[in-house]
Amino acid sequence: MHLKPVLALAALALASVGAAAQTKWDLPSGYPASNFHTENITQFANDVDKATAGKLKITVHANGSLFKANEIKRAVQGGQAQAGEIILANFENESPIYGLDGVPFLASSYAESKRLYDAQKPVLDAVLGKQGMKLLYAVPWPPQGIFTKKEINSVADLRGIKWRAYSPATGKIAELVGAIPVTIQAAELSQALATGVVESYISSVSTGFDSKTYESTKYFYDTQAWLPKNAVFVNKKSFEALDPATQAAVTQAAAAAELRGWKTSQEKTEWYKKALTDKGMKIMPPSPKLMADMRQLGGIMLADWQKKAGADGETILKAYNVAKP
């Protein structure tokens, strides 16, 4: 046999081994590439690539480009995507554990939100595990406030208004205040505001900036009602198919992303407020009446949540309250 064909076959064999050794994951997100959550995920993917010397490649698909935000969890669960990012509160109808950080005024600062997450995490891991998934990390949004086209002094001023309901909790608020709930995902919010499909919503200054809310809405009431978390998670079978060293690289990169994400979220809150102000939006302190009304809503919603969450809910709230300084 001639030497050249032998060498060519050997090179081809080595190339096929190299190709087989590389694993590729898709990681869909419902948020813009410029959002701090997505930037953090992109850094996470780069860290995994570097730590595994290219053995695991994670492609981030931003802004609902691969799956819409409300389809991502099912896609990961069913193995259509290996990993993904969701806002946990959106899935409270599947398990009350997902909706915990959407309860108004249970945890309304970064310190309180972190304590709540620490208390929630073991139960959250177990719930995801039963559905064939594994939590990699979670990062909060800035505190939630109310975007409106008009000035408001109490929740009565929201009666009859077209209200964006992106989760069971925000839908419940609409029900309690007599607003008209409209289900709109983050990627569609800008158009919904511009066309009058939505007139008001409760969310973070980050979402307000990303969706260019300032173009159609002039007021943001800084109620700091809660800090919902985005979770990045993985299909368990996909994770378990990795070799131990690659699994460790993913876990370590996820831990770094969680620390970085919490820090960035807190640091960027004031930046987003200034950016909205520069665009002509008025950042308003809520009136005592509005705050009293919102806290009353929070009490009703916490009681409802406790009934649904049962023993798991008691375990989480007990751990959260014990950890209070």
Side-chain angles (χ1 to χ4, degrees):
M1 185 180 279
H2 293 296
L3 189 58
K4 278 186 179 179
V6 171
L7 288 172
L9 283 169
L12 187 64
L14 282 169
S16 66
V17 168
Q22 187 182 77
T23 302
K24 293 183 178 180
W25 281 5
D26 288 312
L27 197 165
S29 164
Y31 302 95
S34 59
N35 182 270
F36 76 93
H37 282 289
T38 317
E39 289 175 346
N40 194 33
I41 291 172
T42 302
Q43 183 62 55
F44 161 72
N46 291 340
D47 288 349
V48 169
D49 186 14
K50 188 176 177 182
T52 63
K55 201 171 184 181
L56 175 58
K57 293 274 188 186
I58 302 174
T59 302
V60 179
H61 302 270
N63 213 34
S65 57
L66 187 61
F67 295 98
K68 289 182 178 178
N70 58 344
E71 298 170 347
I72 290 171
K73 183 174 174 291
R74 185 178 293 176
V76 176
Q77 203 168 340
Q80 294 167 282
Q82 293 74 28
E85 180 197 36
I86 58 168
I87 182 165
L88 288 166
N90 280 20
F91 297 90
E92 187 180 355
N93 289 337
E94 288 187 24
S95 167
I97 303 308
Y98 293 135
L100 178 58
D101 54 14
V103 176
F105 300 103
L106 175 60
S108 54
S109 69
Y110 280 92
E112 289 175 351
S113 185
K114 183 62 169 65
R115 284 206 316 275
L116 187 64
Y117 176 48
D118 290 342
Q120 176 193 23
K121 196 173 182 179
V123 182
L124 179 60
D125 249 336
V127 171
L128 281 166
K130 285 176 187 173
Q131 296 185 324
M133 292 170 290
K134 174 183 171 62
L135 179 69
L136 291 177
Y137 69 89
V139 171
W141 290 89
Q144 306 288 283
I146 301 171
F147 291 92
T148 62
K149 294 190 176 188
K150 62 176 186 177
E151 290 191 50
I152 58 170
N153 290 304
S154 70
V155 295
D157 294 330
L158 296 170
R159 195 168 293 133
I161 209 164
K162 286 180 277 187
W163 172 270
R164 179 204 176 203
Y166 70 83
S167 67
T170 51
K172 182 69 174 177
I173 290 172
E175 178 192 321
L176 290 170
V177 305
I180 301 164
V182 184
T183 302
I184 296 289
Q185 299 302 321
E188 302 157 350
L189 181 55
S190 182
Q191 186 179 357
L193 287 163
T195 55
V197 172
V198 168
E199 297 172 302
S200 181
Y201 68 100
I202 189 166
S203 193
S204 70
V205 283
S206 172
T207 299
F209 183 77
D210 285 345
S211 62
K212 298 183 178 178
T213 294
Y214 49 80
E215 290 182 349
S216 53
T217 303
K218 291 303 172 193
Y219 300 97
F220 174 76
Y221 287 87
D222 195 12
T223 55
Q224 300 186 25
W226 70 87
L227 288 77
K229 293 185 295 290
N230 275 13
V232 174
F233 59 106
V234 63
N235 179 285
K236 273 179 89 172
K237 287 181 181 176
S238 296
F239 183 80
E240 288 165 359
L242 303 173
D243 62 74
T246 306
Q247 286 184 4
V250 171
T251 303
Q252 287 165 13
E258 187 164 276
L259 284 172
R260 183 175 60 241
W262 279 76
K263 186 170 182 283
T264 303
S265 178
Q266 191 163 6
E267 287 173 351
K268 289 205 78 169
T269 298
E270 293 307 315
W271 182 91
Y272 281 121
K273 285 182 184 178
K274 185 179 184 304
L276 289 174
T277 302
D278 290 347
K279 294 289 187 180
M281 182 164 274
K282 294 181 179 179
I283 309 292
M284 307 283 283
S287 70
K289 173 62 176 162
L290 179 58
M291 283 300 287
D293 288 350
M294 290 296 293
R295 288 187 182 280
Q296 190 176 5
L297 293 180
I300 293 167
M301 291 172 67
L302 179 58
D304 285 349
W305 184 86
Q306 286 176 285
K307 283 178 194 171
K308 290 184 288 186
D312 280 346
E314 281 182 34
T315 299
I316 294 169
L317 292 177
K318 186 178 177 182
Y320 172 59
N321 289 322
V322 165
K324 281 184 179 177

